[in-house]
Amino acid sequence: MSDHIVTSYDDDLKELAGKISEMGGRAERLVEDSIAALVRMDMVKASETVEKDTIINSLDQEIEEKAVLTIARRQPMAHDLREIISALRISVDLERIADLGKNIARRTLALEGKKQPKQLVHGIEHMAELALTQLRTVLDAYTGRDDVAAIGVWHKDREVDALYNSLFREFLTYMMEDPRNISFCTHLLFCAKNLERIGDHATNIAETIYYLKTGLPLEDRHFEENEQLDLD
Amino acid sequence: MQDMTPINTAEASERRAIKISAKEVTVHYGAKQALFGVDLDIEENQVTSLIGPSGCGKSTFLRCLNRMNDTIDICSVGGQIRLGDINIYDPKVDVVELRARVGMVFQKPNPFPKSIFENIAYGPRIHGLCRDKSDMEEVVVSSLQKAGLFDEVKDRLDEPGTGLSGGQQQRLCIARAIAVSPEVILMDEPCSALDPIATAKVEELIDELRENYTIVIVTHSMQQAARVSQRTAFFHLGNIVEEGPTEQIFTMPKDQRTQDYITGRFG
């Protein structure tokens, strides 16, 4: 898209998009770190990760202020307006993703000294990989304004959900086998739930990217596709 | 079923009666062509805004709607413009009567150098709309009321209209336009000479007037077009590039040129 006549307007929008990218990168790393801390039972890393959430919170604040100011100053229309609204929405999702990551790190701290079945942690690791791939893909889709990639992420969320359901059953089996596993498994189950929620936020971002690009909500499109499938 | 709603409302607005229908309208100023076959249906009791860069032909088109272009010697108009069931460029049409049906408010407030009362009374008098003095008083009062000006000027109706503030003068001009009971009111950048408060009052008035009149407004303020109108037409180089519900034009324009213009990217 060509530049605005008022070049500082372009600077405003670029700054917003830049902050979103920065926030996305930080949120992604925070989730990675929290999982690494959990897998290796690294308490130092876990507490560092908990601390890092404040940086993301202040980025969220900055984005909100910048967005409000830009709306007030430029009275954006059409694509520009969607650009700003999208930044607002995505920053909320990223802030939540970082919170969920922080939560995983907190649970790691709570698990200190407890014996953990390797196999269960592997399940969590696998799920984290999938959720993080979703997050990475959707952040790339944002940078590239790629609505097709966003739709891909949107559809792939089913896999994260399915994995969560299977992990849930697995944890349940362990808990029934030996009640001493209950405390540990409950913490891991919450971690799995957090990862599932991270996947949901990634799909929210995918929906926002689709809206940013087309001006339409993604749900409607999905509705049409389902109808077609039914007809087939 | 929820996703059907927007389609239904779109259809409902499609079904509105057409007040003015312009087909293939061309305008030449001497050798220079200003409009290149403009088609536009203007819906009844709606505010239609015409937007576009300077020199795109929106004011020219607006002036075609009550034959104000007739006053320019070198100007020639082609195509067809229908108001209800008459072709307004039919030689049999009485232009004075047409302009009573299609009133106009200009960019700069231009009250007559007469009293506030006379400013309003002039139109109804020359068109012979009032039988006697009390009839006339009623028209003046109700016109000022409709224009939201009455309370501000009721104690000084015999003072000159030119003594009012800019915003009041513009509302006086709107009251003057209303006094002859027009069907359509054309407004050519009615707020460009007004401060934000006077602008807000005129916009509020436009919204109220829509109930009884069809309004066509030319404006350079995108925000104003977005606020006051139900339909918007985007003009560029003497053509309409895009026309549709205002909401859609300002949120999801179909044409790249419209998008570039409303977002401030036009080179």
Side-chain angles (χ1 to χ4, degrees):
Chain A
M1 190 167 290
S2 62
D3 287 346
H4 285 98
I5 297 165
V6 182
T7 47
S8 57
Y9 190 175
D10 286 318
D11 297 340
D12 285 345
L13 294 178
K14 273 184 207 136
E15 193 188 325
L16 262 179
K19 276 192 196 299
I20 288 289
S21 297
E22 188 196 340
M23 196 178 170
R26 282 180 187 276
E28 185 190 325
R29 213 166 316 130
L30 193 144
V31 177
E32 273 169 9
D33 288 351
S34 71
I35 293 297
L38 173 71
V39 173
R40 283 187 244 128
M41 279 292 159
D42 183 342
M43 296 306 141
V44 179
K45 201 178 186 91
S47 46
E48 276 172 10
T49 307
V50 172
E51 307 249 302
K52 273 186 195 149
D53 186 46
T54 50
I55 307 169
I56 289 171
N57 285 345
S58 58
L59 265 173
D60 177 43
Q61 199 97 40
E62 279 171 39
I63 287 167
E64 189 179 319
E65 275 164 25
K66 181 78 195 171
V68 168
L69 201 63
T70 310
I71 291 172
R73 200 186 277 155
R74 313 284 181 194
Q75 285 109 51
M77 291 279 188
H79 184 272
D80 295 334
L81 181 58
R82 294 203 298 275
E83 185 79 39
I84 296 170
I85 297 299
S86 299
L88 270 175
R89 280 201 213 157
I90 293 175
S91 80
V92 170
D93 281 312
L94 291 174
E95 194 271 330
R96 293 297 304 143
I97 287 174
D99 269 356
L100 293 163
K102 180 180 76 173
N103 217 298
I104 293 173
R106 277 215 181 119
R107 290 197 182 275
T108 306
L109 292 172
L111 284 172
E112 193 172 11
K114 290 199 175 74
K115 188 175 70 80
Q116 52 167 327
K118 269 262 150 46
Q119 201 184 340
L120 283 185
V121 180
H122 274 319
I124 292 276
E125 227 180 336
H126 181 44
M127 192 174 168
E129 248 165 56
L130 196 58
L132 278 167
T133 307
Q134 285 281 80
L135 182 57
R136 246 169 251 141
T137 316
V138 88
L139 289 172
D140 287 346
Y142 174 74
T143 315
R145 301 293 186 272
D146 184 347
D147 52 323
V148 179
I151 293 170
V153 169
W154 200 83
H155 282 298
K156 220 180 161 196
D157 186 52
R158 277 183 223 139
E159 291 178 26
V160 183
D161 291 348
L163 198 55
Y164 171 71
N165 287 333
S166 81
L167 268 180
F168 176 75
R169 279 193 298 272
E170 213 176 315
F171 288 138
L172 216 57
T173 323
Y174 270 89
M175 289 191 260
M176 286 189 292
E177 264 174 17
D178 184 349
R180 280 174 296 177
N181 286 337
I182 289 179
S183 159
F184 190 81
C185 281
T186 309
H187 279 300
L188 284 190
L189 188 57
F190 274 118
C191 289
K193 184 67 199 170
N194 286 349
L195 289 170
E196 190 267 331
R197 292 294 302 146
I198 287 172
D200 287 348
H201 285 292
T203 56
N204 282 353
I205 296 174
E207 282 169 15
T208 303
I209 293 166
Y210 186 80
Y211 162 80
L212 166 63
K213 196 69 196 293
T214 63
L216 301 167
L218 187 52
E219 285 102 319
D220 281 4
R221 198 193 135 93
H222 174 244
F223 189 67
E224 283 163 26
E225 276 178 3
N226 270 1
E227 280 213 320
Q228 275 169 359
L229 285 177
D230 286 346
L231 288 175
D232 290 340
Chain B
M1 286 306 283
Q2 244 179 354
D3 64 329
M4 297 295 286
T5 333
I7 300 166
N8 283 341
T9 45
E11 274 175 1
S13 68
E14 291 304 327
R15 280 196 295 267
R16 262 177 196 282
I18 302 300
K19 189 73 199 176
I20 295 179
S21 175
K23 291 239 161 22
E24 287 292 310
V25 176
T26 57
V27 173
H28 287 82
Y29 292 111
K32 189 179 179 299
Q33 190 164 1
L35 288 182
F36 298 83
V38 169
D39 293 327
L40 184 66
D41 284 339
I42 292 162
E43 295 176 2
E44 197 162 26
N45 296 106
Q46 296 276 285
V47 180
T48 301
S49 56
L50 312 180
I51 61 168
S54 295
C56 67
K58 57 193 186 303
S59 291
T60 297
F61 179 74
L62 188 79
R63 284 200 299 267
C64 288
L65 300 180
N66 68 347
R67 291 181 61 172
M68 287 299 274
N69 286 330
D70 288 14
T71 57
I72 304 167
D73 286 340
I74 55 164
C75 180
S76 65
V77 180
Q80 197 190 52
I81 299 177
R82 300 192 75 86
L83 169 65
D85 50 9
I86 65 155
N87 174 6
I88 66 167
Y89 280 90
D90 189 321
K92 279 176 283 184
V93 165
D94 176 354
V95 179
V96 176
E97 196 196 320
L98 171 72
R99 292 186 192 142
R101 289 179 69 186
V102 184
M104 192 154 191
V105 176
F106 297 88
Q107 186 169 359
K108 275 213 189 117
N110 54 351
F112 303 134
K114 288 170 179 285
S115 70
I116 294 170
F117 186 95
E118 275 305 309
N119 259 283
I120 312 287
Y122 183 76
R125 187 175 297 132
I126 61 161
H127 288 291
L129 298 177
C130 297
R131 273 167 293 127
D132 50 36
K133 202 159 173 279
S134 71
D135 217 14
M136 181 64 85
E137 272 169 14
E138 206 180 298
V139 168
V140 170
V141 169
S142 82
S143 303
L144 284 170
Q145 275 168 341
K146 279 184 210 155
L149 189 62
F150 184 68
D151 289 339
E152 291 165 55
V153 301
K154 62 183 175 205
D155 300 323
R156 44 173 172 153
L157 290 176
D158 51 351
E159 286 176 26
T162 47
L164 296 171
S165 74
Q168 288 172 327
Q169 285 188 20
Q170 194 62 306
R171 279 180 284 146
L172 179 65
C173 293
I174 294 173
R176 186 177 64 190
I178 297 170
V180 292
S181 307
E183 295 157 46
V184 181
I185 304 174
L186 309 177
M187 298 184 173
D188 195 352
E189 293 185 55
C191 300
S192 63
L194 306 184
D195 72 19
I197 293 169
T199 300
K201 285 184 182 165
V202 170
E203 285 182 7
E204 170 76 9
L205 176 60
I206 289 172
D207 202 46
E208 285 165 14
L209 292 175
R210 176 161 70 89
E211 213 173 298
N212 300 309
Y213 310 94
T214 300
I215 296 169
V216 186
I217 177 171
V218 165
T219 176
H220 275 297
S221 160
M222 299 298 109
Q223 276 68 36
Q224 180 168 66
R227 284 191 300 260
V228 302
S229 68
Q230 286 72 50
R231 293 192 77 84
T232 297
F234 170 56
F235 281 71
H236 184 46
L237 301 174
N239 279 305
I240 290 186
V241 170
E242 189 171 350
E243 189 272 335
T246 298
E247 207 179 299
Q248 181 239 313
I249 297 279
F250 286 105
T251 55
M252 273 195 286
K254 293 192 182 91
D255 194 286
Q256 186 62 40
R257 287 167 292 177
T258 317
Q259 167 100 302
D260 284 350
Y261 181 68
I262 62 167
T263 56
R265 285 182 167 89
F266 231 58

